[in-house]
Amino acid sequence: MVIELITYIVRFLLIILIQLLVINNIELSTYVNPYMYILFVLSLPVSMKPWVVVLISFFTGMVMDTFSSTPGLHMAATGFMGYIRGFYLQFSCSKEDFAGRIEPAISKKGIVWFIVYMTILTLLHHVFLFYLEIYSFKEFFRTLWRILSSTFFTVLIITLGQLLFYRNAKT
Amino acid sequence: MRNLIFFFYKYYTFILFFFLELFSFVVLYQYNNYQKASFLNFTGGISSSFYESINSTTNYFGLRNINDSLLAENASLRSQMMNAYYQSGTTQTSINDTVYKQQYSYISANVVNNSVTKRNNYITIDKGAMHGIEPDMGVISSNGVVGIVTSVSLHFATIRSALNGNTKISCMLKKNNAFGSLEWNGDDPKFSSLKYVNKHVPITSNDEVVTSNYSTLFPEGIPVGQVYAHTLDAGDNFHVIKVNLYTDFSVLKNVYVIKNIFKDEQQTLEGNLKGGN
């Protein structure tokens, strides 16, 4: 239990640092703003209580807000995603998944399931985040395009990261 | 009563979610509306000191560029010094003090965190309230306009850069003083757009855009950029002007914060006027 907690804390710090120091400095275009820090929320165990996930999501968003001078923005978006995640898992996971302590990962659920899961929740998060950032629908299509390309890159980075670093977890 | 407790018990996740979401919206709304709501003070400048320690390492990579821009600026300042001018009369020096009163003073600062590709970009600098920085001060670099101070902690300050949807800077064309508002459309960090320039104003490419004298944040005539492209739709009253910004935000390292000594006086006067009506 304690080891598990430490693993999650280390993972949290690692993901936040990668987001802040690496991903945020990829200044490719104004249309590419991947936010892979949501991986932390998305990779929490399936059987974790929804209210804990909601709390953790809000906390993750708050940490991101602190480091990007956008109070409330990431908090609202990540919290929303964390809440919806519970419903998505209920509908897409079997009873056995909820009984064991598995994480939604490629090694456990297969690559297709993983990509669909990531894409849907990342898209929800990004739609919420980017429209909230603009605070209006004035630039509707430009923002939509920004959301789609950023979602693509977020999912790409997360999936590649999983394939590279989580392979050991299978054995 | 039992039903109420049962309700709370059944939907506690939703209730938790709802209240946290409400909280984040309130924080977001306050920050967007009142620039003086100091989020930086709330978080105690943790992020700023984090970025500063990272920056002290990465700063070395850009030293050459910084040196070049500082040298160029030194040269231009040197050419403005009194000993660079030939003094043609003796009467001027005696009345200098009463005729010219200093209105703007500058505080130099280093950028510790910056972004250019977000829709709303913010810059963090390593000077704060301790050095005399207050919210709503203008910020420039040696090349041109950078942005406006949003919130201030003791040692740090965050700036809404010109590459931010909420930043509007009052500008004018240098050649005929036609004024407009500089707003970023979120497309390309090298370009911004100048809005509300009346259609009867003649515009050509490469016209210089500078800050106007209407704003209390910037002195008149600080360079902003050059007109890159301009169109005028048939039914429109205003030009659509694309401005090539002088400031390269992606390599920004040194900035100057502008303190307007007469700002309070001007704003009180203008506030009185509004109150009277």
Side-chain angles (χ1 to χ4, degrees), chain B residues 136-180:
Chain B
D136 288 332
M137 281 183 170
V139 181
I140 59 170
S141 72
S142 50
N143 297 325
V145 164
V146 170
I148 299 164
V149 175
T150 320
S151 55
V152 176
S153 71
L154 197 58
H155 297 103
F156 297 97
T158 50
I159 299 165
R160 238 176 324 127
S161 87
L163 309 179
N164 186 314
N166 300 322
T167 311
K168 294 179 178 69
I169 297 171
S170 173
C171 292
M172 64 185 185
L173 293 166
K174 197 178 183 180
K175 62 169 184 184
N176 52 19
N177 293 3
F179 67 92

Side-chain angles (χ1 to χ4, degrees), chain A:
Chain A
M1 188 63 203
V2 178
I3 293 172
E4 214 166 62
L5 192 70
I6 292 170
T7 320
Y8 280 117
I9 291 173
V10 170
R11 186 187 291 177
F12 178 77
L13 291 177
L14 212 65
I15 287 176
I16 294 284
L17 281 178
I18 291 174
Q19 172 71 41
L20 291 175
L21 300 180
V22 184
I23 310 284
N24 275 358
N25 289 326
I26 304 177
E27 290 177 342
L28 213 56
S29 142
T30 49
Y31 290 91
V32 181
N33 283 314
Y35 290 107
M36 56 75 74
Y37 72 90
I38 55 173
L39 171 66
F40 180 72
V41 175
L42 293 179
S43 66
L44 291 170
V46 174
S47 56
M48 194 176 248
K49 290 270 183 297
W51 68 271
V52 183
V53 177
V54 166
L55 265 185
I56 291 176
S57 331
F58 274 98
F59 178 73
T60 314
M62 201 164 82
V63 171
M64 275 307 292
D65 278 335
T66 314
F67 286 99
S68 49
S69 22
T70 51
L73 184 68
H74 288 284
M75 199 153 77
T78 315
F80 174 71
M81 190 197 68
Y83 183 62
I84 298 294
R85 187 193 102 121
F87 294 103
Y88 183 82
L89 286 180
Q90 244 168 33
F91 136 89
S92 74
C93 280
S94 59
K95 280 237 163 62
E96 293 92 68
D97 292 338
F98 278 98
R101 290 190 67 82
I102 73 151
E103 289 172 5
I106 292 180
S107 50
K108 301 280 162 42
K109 297 291 294 181
I111 192 156
V112 177
W113 185 92
F114 183 77
I115 288 181
V116 171
Y117 165 71
M118 281 294 162
T119 312
I120 289 176
L121 289 172
T122 310
L123 196 65
L124 278 174
H125 174 265
H126 282 24
V127 166
F128 205 99
L129 184 84
F130 281 71
Y131 279 117
L132 203 60
E133 190 179 23
I134 299 266
Y135 225 57
S136 77
F137 289 112
K138 220 166 49 190
E139 300 165 2
F140 185 81
F141 289 104
R142 190 179 286 162
T143 311
L144 192 66
W145 176 230
R146 194 172 273 152
I147 289 166
L148 292 179
S149 66
S150 296
T151 305
F152 173 76
F153 278 98
T154 306
V155 173
L156 187 75
I157 290 169
I158 290 178
T159 313
L160 286 181
Q162 283 264 323
L163 287 174
L164 283 175
F165 299 112
Y166 278 67
R167 191 173 281 167
N168 300 340
K170 196 159 44 173
T171 54

Side-chain angles (χ1 to χ4, degrees), chain B residues 82 87 90-102:
Chain B
M82 276 318 273
Q87 209 164 357
T90 49
T91 49
Q92 193 140 23
T93 46
S94 62
I95 58 166
N96 237 352
D97 284 349
T98 48
V99 172
Y100 296 102
K101 199 163 176 162
Q102 189 178 18

Side-chain angles (χ1 to χ4, degrees), chain B residues 196-207:
Chain B
Y196 313 119
V197 176
N198 238 312
K199 66 174 175 185
H200 63 76
V201 177
I203 291 175
T204 48
S205 291
N206 295 338
D207 276 354

Side-chain angles (χ1 to χ4, degrees), chain B residues 1 4 60 80 124 126 129 149 161 164 178 186 209 211 246-247 256 275:
Chain B
M1 192 62 203
L4 190 72
Y60 288 101
Q80 287 171 27
T124 311
D126 65 349
V149 175
S161 87
N164 186 314
V209 180
T211 55
Y246 285 142
T247 310
Y256 300 97

